Amino acid sequence: SPFRIFKHVLDEPVHVHWHEFYELAFVVSGEGTHVLNGRPYPLVRGLGFLLSPADFHAVVPHPGETVRLYNIIFTRQFLRDDLYALLFDAPCEFQHYFSEAEIASLAEACERLWTESHQPAFGSEFIVRGILERLLIDLARRCRSAAAAAAGAARPLPGHPAVGKAIRYIERHFRDPITLGDVAAYAGLSPGHFSESFRKAVGTTFRSFLQRLRLEFAASLLAATDLAVTEICFASGFNNVHHFEKAFKSRFRVSPSAYRKLQAAAPEHAAAAAPENVR
C-alpha cells in the first residue's frame, strides 16, 4: 500500500532504523528522546517529524513512560510532484514542537485519517490524500520558518534551476542505486548537459557529490549505532565493501572501524549515545 497509518504505544526503545518510505509522526503523550540522524532531541507531546529514506532515527521512552503517537507512512509516489517540489526545494529538518493549542487540531486530523483508512467509504482516498497534504504543509511551514529565522535565509539553489532540483533529489535518494542518467532525466536535461551544468554549479562532479552524501551517512551510522560495517556499507548505498572502505579512508583518513572507535571516545558522542539521560 502507498499509505498506512498506525497508532503506536511504546514503552520500550525502538532502536536505530531507517525506511525505504517516508514517515510522518505526531506524539500525543509520553516523554522520551528522539534520536534523529545521531542527534538526541526531547520527545514530548506535540512533537511532529517527517523522515525521508535518507534519515535514520530511534525512539527511546524515558523509564516508566509510555509514548503514544500517530505514525503515517507513505511512498514517494503518493505525493504529487508539485507538492514534493514545494516541500523539498530547500534544505530543512522536518521536526517541530507544536503548541498545546495546535495539538487538538492535529490529533483530530490524524484520527480522521485513521477512520478513513480503516473504515473506507465513498471518496475516502481523496480525504486521506487531502488530510495528509495539509499535515505535511503545516509541518513544513513551521520548520521552514524556524530554519529561516536561524540561518537568516535559506540556502540558495546553485546555478541552473534544474541543478537545484537535482540536488534536492539526490539528497533524498542517495541510498538508492541512482545514476547520472536517472538524475539528469529527473532534472529534464540531457546527461551531458546535466553533467557539465552540475560541475559548474556545485564545483564537483555528480559522482563525487553522490559519494560524499553516502559517506557522511555511513559516518553518522558508525557514530550512532553498533551496526556491522558491512551492513552500514550497503545501507549507505554502496554495493562493494572493499570500495566503501577505500572511499571512507580516503575521505576521513581512517578506516570505518577506527572512525567508530574515535567517535566512541569523544565526549559529545558519549552524550548522544545515552539518550535516556536527555531531558
Side-chain angles (χ1 to χ4, degrees), residues 229-231 233-234 238-247 256:
V229 170
T230 299
E231 186 173 357
C233 162
F234 293 109
F238 291 90
N239 57 16
N240 181 286
V241 176
H242 175 72
H243 172 63
F244 164 65
E245 292 184 332
K246 182 178 179 180

Side-chain angles (χ1 to χ4, degrees), residues 182-205:
D182 295 332
V183 181
Y186 176 81
L189 300 175
S190 69
H193 186 191
F194 171 74
S195 179
E196 182 64 18
S197 297
F198 189 93
R199 186 187 61 78
K200 288 181 178 178
V202 181
T204 188
T205 65

Side-chain angles (χ1 to χ4, degrees), residues 96-119:
H96 180 73
Y97 296 90
F98 289 90
S99 69
E100 193 63 34
E102 298 171 306
I103 292 173
S105 175
L106 292 171
E108 181 181 355
C110 290
E111 194 60 32
R112 182 70 185 276
L113 272 180
W114 173 271
T115 301
E116 296 291 342
S117 299
H118 291 80
Q119 301 173 18

Side-chain angles (χ1 to χ4, degrees), residues 102-176:
E102 298 171 306
I103 292 173
S105 175
L106 292 171
E108 181 181 355
C110 290
E111 194 60 32
R112 182 70 185 276
L113 272 180
W114 173 271
T115 301
E116 296 291 342
S117 299
H118 291 80
Q119 301 173 18
F122 174 76
S124 286
E125 64 271 25
F126 296 101
I127 292 177
V128 165
R129 190 179 297 273
I131 293 175
L132 176 61
E133 290 180 351
R134 175 208 145 186
L135 291 173
L136 290 170
I137 291 171
D138 281 348
L139 177 62
R141 281 180 176 178
R142 296 340 186 258
C143 295
R144 288 166 70 96
S145 294
R155 176 167 57 121
L157 300 178
H160 196 297
V163 174
K165 180 179 179 181
I167 287 173
R168 304 297 174 243
Y169 181 85
I170 299 167
E171 289 176 338
R172 285 164 179 81
H173 295 275
F174 64 83
R175 294 177 51 234
D176 299 332

